[in-house]
């Protein structure tokens, strides 16, 4: 038997220290925007309608009820908002940080079965301004973390509008969405053949896989499809981008991942330092409007590279009284567990720069 | 052309050679590396990785390679989230359900090197057969009776004829695909987007025409 289950890992110093300080720094950043941290239970009731129901770990409770380990925060916060926070004044601004579990994940670089996210939800307003708030905050968070990144915006509603303009039944659109999201031209062409979509409708759908880049692709997208649904999606995007001001935002108007879940603008952050997105989020106005994003903490750490070497003990204290004194002076002091004659050797071995003894600090030469 | 550094994952063998030739025609400053023990061939800003075909989607999905060339059969099995913008038109074959000629008994066991794909095919057909994973000479499983049928690729059909086997159903066509890492397509689009366009022009004539979908057009002859 392996020592720990596949897709889990021990986090050792100095990584844990760095990770905790990153988490804290991100949540502090969110707090400066008025987002209050909360926590939800890691044990949830299994709900077949949960968007990740199939992929979650399940447990049997003592009364036979099926439980699931938390697999994402958004749904959990949705429940909180409809229960204990239902009388809360909108807009609600919440931030969270914690572990999540996915049973089916292939365990590898950036896709562990146990992983951590730090994120926010903005509940109440549904407008380009609300999305701009989240985007600005997301960019600020990644800047604060010190990682190289570029934000990318999309709108599954636009893809849906273009696909709907073919007149095909909703049931046929799921396969098309998947092909568009994967930029799979050959599959898309074959699906359109199968459904006998031809002419400019066909050309429009095929164009979706090439609609990515900077803001220059918006006019191209406008030329594609002029239904109200498509135009209002593009208007929303354009207004949001306008609110953010000049930036190097990327657009991908063929992005339609989880289109049935997100109802509005979606976004993610790419980094040249890791193959997987650092951050993902979007708008899901089902019932109470809400939008948010989550940063993958392990991915962020992966993109930042090796943690700095952890410093050794700063001070080695000869006895309890010296330890008390050194700590009161603001030093990090480790208590010595060795005979007095070996104190200097012990200090060198522990990497301490000072020895605290009888109320004073004695420098330790290497 | 000088652009950002690009890492390209290619399966070793014939597809490697054909891919290098095609990418060079599309304007990448690439030449077939002289045969050596090197696994990574650096040519200016471009690095070629010579991999086992099943590993190509992994390198691209995780962004270790920016792009790659691999058969659709391998992609269907891998289930990896990579962009698949182009059918490059070569290495054409088909994934088929194969049985000994005249076999009419029930299909209880299917041998394959595409277990994931085969399971979803069987599920879509409403069949409960057991899937046996094998790594080579899959047809032998049907010849020896290890399995009642095999799911494997067929190129010319000669192996089948030589072993008295026949294709009961063509499950999906396959050919070499260009795949691109999700982040690379965006962050290195100045280099990759025009490359996709040039490759599309080069392969336009052969692509599209004979491609089917992940459909199951014929009855597999269940009894």
């Amino acid at each position: 038997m392996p020592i720990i289950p596949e897709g889990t890992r021990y986090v050792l110093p100095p990584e844990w220290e760095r990770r905790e300080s990153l988490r804290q720094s991100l949540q502090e950043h969110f707090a400066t925007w008025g987002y209050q941290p909360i926590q939800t239970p890691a044990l949830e009731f299994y709900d077949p309608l949960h968007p990740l129901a199939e992929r979650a770990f399940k447990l049997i409770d003592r009364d036979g009820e099926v439980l699931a380990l938390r697999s994402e925060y958004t749904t959990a916060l949705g429940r909180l908002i409809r229960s204990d926070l239902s009388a809360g004044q909108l807009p609600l601004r919440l931030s969270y940080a914690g572990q999540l579990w996915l049973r089916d994940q292939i365990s590898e670089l950036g896709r562990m079965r146990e992983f951590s996210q730090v994120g926010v939800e903005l509940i109440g307003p549904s407008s380009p301004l609300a999305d701009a708030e989240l985007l600005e905050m997301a960019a600020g968070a990644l800047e604060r973390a010190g990682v190289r990144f570029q934000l990318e915006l999309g709108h599954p509603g636009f893809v849906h509008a273009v696909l709907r303009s073919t007149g095909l039944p909703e049931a046929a659109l799921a396969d098309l969405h998947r092909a568009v999201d994967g930029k799979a031209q050959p599959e898309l062409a074959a699906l359109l053949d199968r459904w006998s979509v031809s002419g400019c409708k066909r050309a429009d759908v095929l164009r979706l896989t090439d609609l990515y880049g900077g803001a220059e692709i918006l006019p191209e997208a406008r030329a594609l499809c002029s239904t109200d649904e498509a135009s209002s999606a593009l208007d929303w995007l354009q207004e949001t981008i306008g609110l953010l001001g000049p930036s190097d935002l990327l657009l991908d108007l063929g992005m339609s991942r989880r289109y049935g879940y997100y109802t509005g603008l979606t976004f993610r952050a790419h980094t040249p330092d890791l193959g997987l997105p650092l951050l993902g989020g979007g708008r899901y106005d089902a019932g109470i409007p809400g939008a948010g994003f989550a940063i993958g903490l392990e991915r962020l750490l992966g993109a930042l590279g090796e943690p700095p070497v952890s410093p050794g003990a700063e001070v080695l204290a000869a006895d309890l009284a010296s330890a008390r004194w050194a700590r009161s002076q603001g030093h990090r002091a480790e208590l010595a567990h060795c005979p007095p004659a070996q104190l200097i050797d012990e200090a060198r071995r522990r990497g301490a720069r000072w020895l605290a003894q009888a109320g004073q600090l004695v420098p330790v030469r290497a | 052309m000088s652009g950002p550094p690009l890492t390209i994952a290619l399966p070793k063998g014939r597809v490697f050679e054909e891919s290098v030739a095609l990418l060079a025609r599309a304007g990448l400053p690439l030449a077939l590396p002289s045969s050596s023990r090197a696994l990574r061939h650096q040519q200016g800003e471009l690095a070629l990785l010579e991999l086992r075909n099943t590993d190509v989607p992994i390198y691209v999905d995780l962004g270790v390679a920016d792009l790659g060339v691999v058969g659709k059969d391998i992609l269907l099995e891998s289930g990896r989230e990579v962009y698949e913008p182009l059918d490059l038109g070569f290495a054409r074959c088909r994934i088929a359900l194969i049985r000994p000629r005249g076999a009419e008994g029930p299909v209880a066991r299917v041998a394959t090197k595409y277990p994931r794909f085969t399971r979803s095919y069987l599920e879509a057909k409403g069949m409960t057969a057991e899937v046996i994973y094998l790594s080579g000479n899959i047809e032998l499983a049907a010849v020896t009776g290890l399995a009642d049928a095999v799911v494997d690729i067929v190129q010319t059909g000669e192996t089948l004829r030589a072993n008295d086997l026949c294709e009961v159903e063509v499950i999906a066509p396959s050919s070499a695909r260009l795949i691109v890492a999700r982040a690379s397509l965006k962050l290195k689009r100045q280099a990759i987007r025009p490359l996709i366009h040039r490759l599309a022009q080069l392969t336009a004539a052969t692509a599209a025409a004979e491609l089917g979908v992940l459909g199951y057009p014929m009855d597999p002859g269940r009894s």
Side-chain angles (χ1 to χ4, degrees), chain B:
Chain B
M1 190 200 82
S2 82
L6 287 180
T7 300
I8 305 169
L10 300 174
K12 54 190 167 198
R14 261 198 36 216
V15 176
F16 186 91
E17 292 166 22
E18 289 188 61
S19 303
V20 171
L22 184 62
L23 290 168
R25 276 173 62 210
L28 288 188
L30 276 179
L32 206 57
S34 52
S35 61
S36 71
R37 286 287 180 87
L39 304 170
R40 183 167 190 270
H41 310 282
Q42 190 72 40
Q43 300 188 2
E45 290 293 293
L46 305 174
L48 296 178
L49 305 181
E50 204 168 338
L51 303 169
R52 204 194 138 112
N53 57 5
T54 50
D55 296 341
V56 172
I58 302 176
Y59 275 76
V60 175
D61 179 26
L62 292 177
V64 173
D66 298 300
L67 38 123
V69 176
V70 71
K72 180 67 186 176
D73 58 326
I74 304 295
L75 286 172
L76 286 170
E77 176 62 20
S78 81
R80 293 274 168 175
E81 288 191 4
V82 293
Y83 290 132
E84 303 176 26
L86 280 181
D87 182 350
L88 298 177
F90 59 90
R92 282 196 182 280
C93 60
R94 49 196 186 265
I95 309 180
L97 184 76
I98 298 157
R99 300 196 71 181
R101 189 171 302 285
E104 288 198 336
V107 176
R109 278 203 306 266
V110 180
T112 185
K113 61 178 173 194
Y114 307 102
R116 214 183 123 108
F117 173 78
T118 301
R119 273 189 207 104
S120 71
Y121 159 73
L122 291 172
E123 195 187 315
K125 295 297 287 187
M127 294 166 75
T128 59
E130 178 193 353
V131 174
I132 304 173
Y133 171 73
L134 295 176
S135 48
N137 289 345
I138 315 296
E139 296 88 350
L140 208 48
V143 173
T144 58
L146 173 70
D148 306 307
V150 301
V151 167
D152 201 16
I153 50 166
V154 180
Q155 221 150 7
T156 61
E158 258 170 65
T159 311
L160 300 189
R161 283 187 289 279
N163 289 285
D164 209 24
L165 297 169
C166 68
E167 280 173 84
V168 178
E169 179 189 350
V170 174
I171 305 172
S174 176
S175 56
R177 297 298 160 93
L178 178 77
I179 61 174
V180 185
R182 292 200 164 224
S184 302
L185 183 74
K186 310 302 172 55
L187 299 179
K188 298 184 176 178
R189 69 181 189 284
Q190 262 78 1
I192 295 179
R193 198 170 179 211
L195 175 69
I196 294 174
H197 292 163
R198 283 194 302 271
L199 285 169
Q201 286 162 3
L202 288 172
T203 56
T206 41
E210 52 186 296
L211 199 111
V213 200
L214 235 190
Y216 309 115
M218 293 154 43
D219 191 84
R222 284 169 65 197
S223 51

Side-chain angles (χ1 to χ4, degrees), chain A residues 33-357:
Chain A
W33 282 86
Y35 287 70
Q36 292 181 301
I38 52 98
Q39 185 55 284
T40 68
L43 281 178
E44 301 177 340
F45 284 120
Y46 166 71
D47 172 4
L49 299 177
H50 188 287
L52 298 175
E54 278 183 36
R55 305 176 59 194
F57 276 94
K58 283 104 188 168
L59 306 88
I60 310 292
D61 203 357
R62 61 186 167 209
D63 56 2
E65 190 80 44
V66 180
L67 304 180
L69 281 182
R70 184 175 59 216
S71 53
E72 61 150 26
Y73 270 103
T74 301
T75 309
L77 290 191
R79 270 196 207 116
L80 173 63
I81 287 151
R82 285 190 304 275
S83 54
D84 284 2
L85 292 180
S86 60
Q89 202 193 353
L90 299 181
L92 267 174
R93 290 185 168 86
L94 303 174
S95 91
Y96 57 81
Q99 274 154 307
L100 301 163
W101 294 267
L102 284 176
R103 181 179 54 82
D104 72 333
Q105 200 95 310
I106 323 166
S107 305
E108 60 190 15
L109 199 74
R111 289 204 188 109
M112 300 293 281
R113 300 207 297 167
E114 178 177 73
F115 57 100
S116 318
Q117 287 186 344
V118 187
V120 293
E121 300 287 337
L122 173 55
I123 317 297
S126 177
S127 64
L129 182 63
D131 290 349
E133 170 176 335
L134 289 165
L135 285 161
E136 178 124 0
M137 210 166 52
L142 295 177
E143 268 160 32
R144 190 168 166 132
V147 70
R148 299 195 289 168
F149 71 94
Q150 254 189 299
L151 281 175
E152 179 180 58
L153 275 57
H155 201 310
F158 172 72
V159 178
H160 199 65
V162 176
L163 295 183
R164 276 238 315 239
S165 72
T166 58
L168 292 176
E170 286 287 322
L173 301 188
D175 287 340
L176 290 167
H177 266 289
R178 203 173 315 120
V180 169
D181 189 60
K183 310 215 180 294
Q185 276 270 0
E187 276 62 36
L188 200 53
L191 282 167
L192 293 170
D193 286 344
R194 185 205 265 181
W195 293 101
S196 311
V197 177
S198 57
C200 62
K201 296 284 177 223
R202 178 192 168 90
D204 283 357
V205 172
L206 288 172
R207 278 288 295 145
L208 284 174
T209 62
D210 198 35
L211 275 183
Y212 58 90
E216 74 280 357
I217 64 163
L218 272 173
E220 275 182 64
R222 293 230 181 248
L224 210 63
C225 174
S226 53
T227 64
D228 288 350
E229 195 187 352
S231 302
S232 71
L234 295 176
D235 289 345
W236 187 296
L237 261 176
Q238 196 148 11
E239 197 180 332
T240 308
I241 296 167
L243 284 165
L244 287 168
S247 66
D248 58 351
L249 284 177
L250 295 171
L251 289 178
D252 183 351
L253 293 179
M255 186 154 103
S256 74
R257 199 175 150 264
R258 299 178 75 185
Y259 79 97
Y261 175 76
Y262 289 118
T263 58
L265 189 146
T266 60
F267 56 97
R268 56 191 170 195
H270 296 295
T271 174
D273 299 310
L274 192 84
L276 302 168
L278 296 174
L279 168 156
R283 167 160 301 280
Y284 41 87
D285 291 349
I288 313 172
F293 65 83
I295 297 174
L297 206 48
E298 287 82 3
R299 292 185 183 182
L300 187 55
L301 284 161
L304 287 170
E306 290 296 307
V309 180
S310 82
E314 188 184 358
V315 170
L316 186 73
D319 47 46
L320 260 181
S322 308
R324 236 177 261 138
W325 171 80
R327 289 181 59 256
S328 75
Q329 301 297 305
H331 297 291
R332 213 148 34 80
E334 224 180 65
L335 183 59
H337 293 277
C338 66
Q342 290 167 23
L343 275 171
I344 294 289
D345 283 347
E346 178 69 0
R348 285 199 190 106
R349 215 170 55 79
R350 304 292 302 172
R353 292 165 48 224
W354 306 89
L355 184 65
Q357 204 166 16

